[in-house]
Each structure stands twice: as C-alpha cells, then as structure tokens.
Amino acid sequence: MSHEIYARVFTTAYALLATSALVVGASAPFLAVLLFTPVTASWPLLVLTAPFVGPAFAAAHAVFGSTARDDGAPVVRGFLRAWRRHARRSVIVAAGASALLVVLAVDIRAAWGTPVGAVAIPVLAVLAVLTAVTALVALTGVVEHPDVPLRRLVRACLFLALRRPHFTAISLVALWVLAAAVGALPVPALALLTGPALYVVWVGSRATLRPLRVVPGPEPDSRSVAAR
C-alpha cells in the first residue's frame, strides 16, 4: 500500500472516531436520559432532550462533507462551526419530529386492543416511519441546502424520501444496527459505531437529496423542487 492510501485510511478512521466522540458529547443530555433512566417513566425528558440530537447529526454530516472534499479539513473545529451554523434549523427539525412521534405513539397506545386499532395502528406506524425518515433526510438538507426555507425543505425531503426508498432503507438499517449495538454494549458501540453509522446515513441522505434544486418563488409544490 502506498503512503497516500495509508494516509487516507488514517484520516478517515480519525474523522469517524472523532465524529463519534463529538456527536456523543453534543447529544449527552439525550443519551444520559436514554441510558440511565427507565424510558417508560422518563419519556417526557427524552422528548425535551431529543432536539440536542439534531445539531449533532447536522454537524456530523457537515464534517463528512468537508472531509470528503478535503482530507485535511479540520474535524473538531469543523464540527463546532457547523453546530453553531446549523443549530437553529436542525433543532426545529428534531423538535418537530420528536413532538409528532410522541403524538403518534400516544395514539397507537390509545388504539391498542380496540376495534379501531386494527386499522388505525398500521396507518399511525407508517406516519411514524415517514416522520423519522423525513427528519433524517432534512438534517442533511439543512447542511447541503442552508438557503432553502425550512418548510419547503422538509416538504421536499418527504417527497424525495418516498421517491428513493432504497436510500432511506439503508439509513434506517444503519441506525437500527447502531441502536442494537448500544443496547448490548453502550460505551463501545457509541465510541466506535456512531461515526460510521452516521456516515452511512449521510451518504444515503445526500443521495436522496441529489435531485433537489432551488426554485424561485414563495412556496412551490414539493414536486417542483425535486427533479431527476
């Protein structure tokens, strides 16, 4: 292997591991509640701390984008700059998704075991999945398209996530693997797998957003901002 290949492998491994540590640190309030308290009793705290995850994910995606363009791009400083730049929009995305998921979960719980549940629960479950995948793609979108109004961006992300479901499925599988690993071995999984899992999500979400183009005008239909 040449020196360039060794250097590329080292910088990639460093970027993934450093991003893991940075995301864990930025999401510490949410992770502390998730890992050290019973979820059934502390879910209100989970909802309150979930928005911390949004800027952490967005900053990680910004780091992956910068290191893909330039091997020498700073990881720590780049993460902190991206966190500050995209915090407001990514918090709105994460908070909105968390609130909607709670509403859907409460509705599923209320419908469970009732005659209407056989029809309502599958619909509510599909809406919950759509909410999660739209938020994932939107957290990449706030980095890739910072000038697009947030409402327009979220609508386009929903449309594109449905239009390119294979990329969405890959992102969900990566997060499922991370969640399963964290459930078994929290500290090693968070330290070693957070960065790689988010990298897979970033690749999938970026591919999902590739057809997105900015269209002048107040509020065009979602289909008008997504073209092949």
Side-chain angles (χ1 to χ4, degrees):
M1 293 177 68
S2 66
H3 172 73
E4 290 78 10
I5 296 177
Y6 278 116
R8 178 67 177 176
V9 170
F10 176 79
T11 54
T12 301
Y14 166 72
L16 292 176
L17 292 175
T19 301
S20 293
L22 291 165
V23 169
V24 170
S27 307
F30 175 79
L31 292 174
V33 176
L34 180 66
L35 297 177
F36 301 117
T37 63
V39 174
T40 54
S42 61
W43 65 265
L45 286 177
L46 282 176
V47 176
L48 290 175
T49 55
F52 285 97
V53 177
F57 276 36
H61 296 167
V63 168
F64 297 145
S66 61
T67 54
R69 293 187 296 270
D70 177 13
D71 289 347
V75 175
V76 177
R77 281 186 293 135
F79 184 94
L80 295 176
R81 283 199 302 264
W83 194 99
R84 289 193 299 268
R85 181 182 181 188
H86 303 294
R88 185 183 66 83
R89 281 156 57 93
S90 55
V91 161
I92 293 173
V93 171
S98 301
L100 185 53
L101 287 173
V102 168
V103 171
L104 293 171
V106 171
D107 289 342
I108 290 174
R109 179 65 182 271
W112 194 270
T114 65
V116 74
V119 176
I121 289 176
V123 174
L124 294 171
V126 170
L127 290 176
V129 173
L130 289 177
T131 299
V133 298
T134 301
L136 281 179
V137 178
L139 288 174
T140 302
V142 298
V143 176
E144 299 290 328
H145 301 279
D147 298 327
V148 177
L150 191 57
R151 184 167 64 174
R152 185 186 304 177
L153 179 65
V154 170
R155 290 171 59 190
C157 288
L158 172 60
F159 175 73
L160 290 171
L162 291 172
R163 187 176 173 180
R164 299 185 151 198
H166 47 294
F167 294 124
T168 302
I170 292 172
S171 298
L172 291 178
V173 169
L175 291 179
W176 181 84
V177 170
L178 175 62
V182 170
L185 296 169
V187 174
L190 287 172
L192 299 176
L193 297 181
T194 302
L198 291 183
Y199 184 84
V200 173
V201 173
W202 171 73
V203 171
S205 297
R206 199 180 190 196
T208 300
L209 288 168
R210 190 168 293 130
L212 183 65
R213 59 186 176 87
V214 181
V215 177
E219 281 294 333
D221 183 76
S222 299
R223 292 178 177 78
S224 67
V225 296
R228 292 186 186 276

